């Protein structure tokens, strides 16, 4: 996913990822995919990928609270 972020725009891929399938609302999913698509098309995704580079690996666990 990190080097092929367009895969996250595929509904079949989303269905296999719990965050997409169970936690995000339809509106959140649509907004997030729109932003991701824009980042891919403008090549901003490269900046994001480099900005969050980690020698510890590609997985990050984030604890967040919806308000």
């Amino acid at each position: 996913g990190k080097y092929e972020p367009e895969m996250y725009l595929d509904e079949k891929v989303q269905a296999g990822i719990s965050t997409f399938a169970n936690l995000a609302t339809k509106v959140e999913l649509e907004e997030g995919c729109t932003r991701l698509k824009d980042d891919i098309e403008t090549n901003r995704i490269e900046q994001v990928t480099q900005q969050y580079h980690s020698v510890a690996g590609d997985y990050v666990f984030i604890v967040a609270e919806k308000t």
Side-chain angles (χ1 to χ4, degrees):
K2 179 178 180 178
Y3 298 106
E4 293 183 46
E6 58 279 348
M7 69 184 270
Y8 295 116
L9 300 174
D10 184 332
E11 291 180 6
K12 291 178 185 174
V13 172
Q14 294 171 10
I17 300 173
S18 62
T19 303
F20 287 99
N22 303 320
L23 300 177
T25 67
K26 184 176 181 175
V27 171
E28 290 171 328
L29 186 57
E30 289 173 355
E31 289 176 357
C33 286
T34 297
R35 291 175 62 186
L36 177 59
K37 185 177 179 190
D38 183 57
D39 286 349
I40 292 168
E41 290 174 353
T42 61
N43 213 30
R44 184 173 183 282
I45 195 69
E46 296 299 325
Q47 292 174 334
V48 174
T49 301
Q50 291 303 315
Q51 183 179 355
Y52 293 98
H53 174 75
S54 172
V55 295
D58 290 335
Y59 290 94
V60 176
F61 293 94
I62 298 173
V63 177
E65 182 177 322
K66 272 183 142 176
T67 58

